[in-house]
Amino acid sequence: MNTMTKQRLLVGLIVVLIATNLSTIGSFYYHRFSEQKKIEAELTTQASVPGEQRTRYFRDQLGLSDEQTNSIREINRSFNRSARTIESKLAELRQEIVGELGQSNSDTVRLKNIAAEIGNNHRELKELTTKFYLDMKKVCSPEQQKKLHTIFQSMLNKENQVNLPQPGYQRGRGRNR
């Protein structure tokens, strides 16, 4: 093989390797981006569970009377208003922390203060969820309280956070209520 042929083969091999590397990197970022969008969509769906569907879910699962259902509806509305306010604050704080991290000279004292405020808001949200559960429990009979506890246990996700019923809850086989 002459030098010119070897050189062409090496250049061809380099071009193939570069193309392979670029496609691998492109594929990695594409999948990472699409997964992130999917996760964001799921979180948005979780955050936007209409209160009426949650009330309906608990009514069906616990066999609530009309009076109990009305009480749960009011408890749920109060919870939703307060939880949305806290979740909105958390979103703002997350934006602040990312903005500060993006600064050329990030202020570590400010970052610590924002992190502490995020922690306080998470605590508030957990306390609010606890109050939501205890208020619902007061409305329930002892048998319903046992079912309520089982429902909340089943809603724990892998981070041990409660995921309340999702939109589109269906009772029976494909029927919306």
Side-chain angles (χ1 to χ4, degrees):
M1 236 190 231
N2 66 22
T3 310
M4 192 62 136
T5 306
K6 285 181 185 179
Q7 202 172 25
R8 284 185 187 159
L9 282 173
L10 287 175
V11 169
L13 183 61
I14 290 171
V15 169
V16 168
L17 289 174
I18 289 173
T20 303
N21 284 340
L22 289 175
S23 67
T24 301
I25 291 169
S27 176
F28 170 76
Y29 281 110
Y30 170 78
H31 288 291
R32 182 175 176 199
F33 179 75
S34 64
E35 277 297 312
Q36 191 168 3
K37 286 292 183 188
K38 183 179 175 185
I39 289 168
E40 287 173 6
E42 288 174 5
L43 290 175
T44 301
T45 301
Q46 284 180 356
S48 64
V49 175
E52 202 51 47
Q53 289 181 336
R54 188 179 305 142
T55 300
R56 188 178 309 131
Y57 174 82
F58 285 118
R59 180 196 68 204
D60 294 345
Q61 294 298 308
L62 300 173
L64 299 174
S65 68
D66 289 344
E67 185 178 321
Q68 287 175 311
T69 301
N70 289 334
S71 296
I72 295 291
R73 183 175 291 114
E74 288 307 312
I75 292 166
N76 191 43
R77 284 181 183 156
S78 175
F79 170 78
N80 285 338
R81 279 190 298 272
S82 300
R84 271 193 294 268
T85 301
I86 295 170
E87 288 169 351
S88 176
K89 286 182 202 172
L90 282 168
E92 289 173 18
L93 290 167
R94 286 185 196 107
Q95 288 289 354
E96 281 184 47
I97 208 164
V98 169
E100 186 62 39
L101 288 169
Q103 299 295 319
S104 58
N105 293 320
S106 298
D107 182 350
T108 55
V109 172
R110 184 162 188 266
L111 287 169
K112 285 181 183 180
N113 288 337
I114 296 171
E117 199 171 340
I118 288 173
N120 289 335
N121 278 276
H122 274 286
R123 180 186 40 76
E124 269 186 65
L125 193 56
K126 296 306 173 197
E127 289 171 353
L128 185 65
T129 303
T130 302
K131 181 183 180 323
F132 172 66
Y133 175 85
L134 292 174
D135 288 348
M136 286 180 48
K137 188 175 173 183
K138 287 177 191 173
V139 172
C140 295
S141 70
E143 187 60 36
Q144 290 169 328
Q145 288 176 7
K146 289 177 187 174
K147 287 181 184 176
L148 179 65
H149 182 72
T150 302
I151 290 169
F152 265 74
Q153 278 183 318
S154 71
M155 290 179 193
L156 287 177
N157 64 19
K158 62 185 172 195
E159 288 87 29
N160 287 327
Q161 295 177 345
V162 175
N163 287 328
L164 294 170
Q166 298 297 306
Y169 160 73
Q170 296 176 348
R171 181 177 184 203
R173 295 172 63 193
R175 295 178 307 182
N176 281 335
R177 295 222 355 142

